[in-house]
Amino acid sequence: MIEEPDAGFATDRLLLGLRAAVTAICASVMASASLPRKLDVHQPLWPQVTAFGIMTVLLLVELVLLARRRPWGRWRIPALAVTLGASALATWSLAPHHVASTADWSFGTTGWVLLVLLSGQRLQAVLALLAAHATVTFMRVLVLGPSDLEFCLRLLAVSVGTIGFPVAAGVATAVLRDIAERAHAASLEAAEIRTAEELAAQVHETRRERFGEIHEAIEPILRALADGTLAISDPQVRRSCEFQAARMRRLFAETDLVADRLVHELRQGADVAERRGVMVQLEPVGSWPNPPLPVGRALAQAPMWLLSHASKAASISVIGAGGELAVHVTIDCPVRPEDVPEPDLPGVTQRVFTDTESTWIEVLWMINE
């Protein structure tokens, strides 16, 4: 599958922009928090300063991570726990008449800090953590008061803004993230379809070329046999037919799904020779990658031709070692070296040795070239 980089890049940019926007809002809320302006109303002061300092540090860490485009990762859960702990410290140390007032800075700030830490997370997690933050304040009211009707109504009114705005931002962020992910998935699916179409076109073109080669090689022989120009009793004609049959088997074998395509194609040629009564021994030695299609054809062409000239016995060795892949073929009869077809591919070399009783051929491909 081919993934279009533009789709992933656009999605990452959108999510990064959403994260930056939420962080900017949180920084603005922290900068406008009432604590620095109302230090004198808090007794004791240290819980408020400690909680405010913790959230400021978390915001600074987020700015660093955002600049480096890195997530919180495994530190997200500890940071969320520390944020809720700081919120509880600030809320539970407030005097009763300051709860849900302008002095209660943590009630309006903690939700945005949580939203920053939950950037990129699902909406369920955002709602759960914001609910936990609201529970901290509600439990404080139930336990320490005040809990009269007027105060409860004021608390609910204040909660609409302090909790509602982060919730709305979290919903918008989650929706936009889902849209981005769906757009990315749709883009990948489209790229996958285009890839499949391209592969199908390449396979069709390869098959068309393969059948074209078979047609060009076989048709003249069949026509000559039909009109009597060639006689099947001629040994040379039989060898030519056998070579073309082995070649056809090799071309058809190129589409087979096998671990070692070269050895598989050589086995097809050996099978044709064995049908003629030739004992063929095939031995692969070592290891090698599947050669490209043109290289595989160049490695198999001369061995196939030589097998068609074997009388009673032949041996094939495929050796892969030291960055080389070699095909050795020995047959039990002599042939003229100049008659052996030469590979017409750079990087593939061939040697032929013959005597009065046998012929040996080596076709060599340098894998690393």
Side-chain angles (χ1 to χ4, degrees):
M1 181 185 67
I2 298 177
E3 177 177 343
E4 289 191 344
D6 289 345
F9 180 70
T11 301
D12 292 341
R13 286 195 63 182
L14 176 58
L15 296 178
L16 184 66
L18 290 172
R19 182 179 176 185
V22 172
T23 304
I25 295 173
C26 181
S28 300
V29 172
M30 288 286 291
S32 62
S34 62
L35 179 64
R37 295 180 282 106
K38 294 190 177 184
L39 294 176
D40 55 327
V41 304
H42 295 289
Q43 296 298 330
L45 179 60
W46 69 264
Q48 305 298 323
V49 174
T50 300
F52 190 85
I54 289 173
M55 294 188 190
T56 302
V57 170
L58 291 173
L59 181 61
L60 292 176
V61 173
E62 166 63 14
L63 291 173
V64 173
L65 293 175
L66 183 60
R68 296 184 177 181
R69 299 189 177 187
R70 295 178 59 184
W72 279 86
R74 59 189 180 93
W75 294 104
R76 189 189 310 277
I77 293 178
L80 290 169
V82 168
T83 302
L84 290 176
S87 172
L89 176 63
T91 301
W92 284 71
S93 63
L94 277 175
H97 58 280
H98 287 323
V99 177
S101 69
T102 56
D104 191 1
W105 63 272
S106 67
F107 193 39
T109 303
T110 305
W112 291 105
V113 177
L114 292 173
L115 201 59
V116 165
L117 297 176
L118 290 167
S119 176
Q121 302 303 300
R122 294 295 176 184
L123 181 59
Q124 293 87 337
V126 175
L127 295 178
L129 268 296
L130 290 176
H133 162 52
T135 302
V136 170
T137 299
F138 295 151
M139 289 298 296
R140 190 251 183 258
V141 171
L142 292 175
V143 175
L144 300 179
S147 57
D148 57 273
L149 179 59
E150 181 181 352
F151 176 81
C152 291
L153 292 175
R154 186 180 72 180
L155 179 60
L156 289 175
V158 172
S159 300
V160 171
T162 55
I163 302 298
F165 287 134
V167 168
V171 170
T173 301
V175 170
L176 289 175
R177 185 194 63 244
D178 289 343
I179 291 174
E181 290 177 352
R182 290 179 184 179
H184 191 193
S187 177
L188 295 182
E189 184 178 355
E192 201 171 320
I193 292 173
R194 286 194 294 271
T195 301
E197 291 175 348
E198 291 176 5
L199 290 176
Q202 292 176 5
V203 170
H204 175 74
E205 181 63 22
T206 301
R207 289 176 177 174
R208 190 186 64 79
E209 293 176 357
R210 184 182 299 114
F211 287 117
E213 293 176 4
I214 294 173
H215 181 269
E216 293 177 0
I218 301 300
E219 184 183 14
I221 297 177
L222 295 178
R223 289 185 179 277
L225 289 172
D227 61 20
T229 306
L230 296 178
I232 195 65
S233 58
D234 186 346
Q236 185 63 34
V237 173
R238 289 200 301 269
R239 283 194 294 268
S240 179
C241 291
E242 181 183 340
F243 170 61
Q244 293 301 335
R247 187 164 174 262
M248 288 177 62
R249 291 281 296 269
R250 178 183 63 79
L251 289 172
F252 291 141
E254 287 180 354
T255 60
D256 293 343
L257 297 177
V258 292
D260 193 320
R261 190 168 54 240
L262 177 61
V263 173
H264 179 63
E265 293 173 7
L266 290 172
R267 280 201 178 100
Q268 304 304 310
D271 183 63
V272 173
E274 287 176 341
R275 291 174 184 272
R276 186 167 48 86
V278 178
M279 296 293 296
V280 182
Q281 181 180 0
L282 175 59
E283 183 178 5
V285 179
S287 61
W288 55 86
N290 264 325
L293 192 58
V295 174
R297 292 181 179 181
L299 288 171
Q301 181 180 17
M304 294 289 192
W305 184 90
L306 200 61
L307 282 175
S308 67
H309 288 72
S311 176
K312 294 182 179 180
S315 65
I316 308 172
S317 298
V318 185
I319 304 173
E324 298 179 351
L325 176 58
V327 180
H328 297 171
V329 179
T330 303
I331 64 172
D332 59 348
C333 60
V335 299
R336 295 191 306 172
E338 58 270 20
D339 291 340
V340 181
E342 290 280 347
D344 56 354
L345 192 68
V348 180
T349 59
Q350 181 173 292
R351 294 187 298 168
V352 181
F353 299 95
T354 186
D355 55 29
T356 57
E357 295 182 354
S358 64
T359 302
W360 176 83
I361 186 174
E362 178 193 64
V363 188
L364 180 67
W365 174 48
M366 304 299 295
I367 298 175
N368 298 325
E369 285 190 358

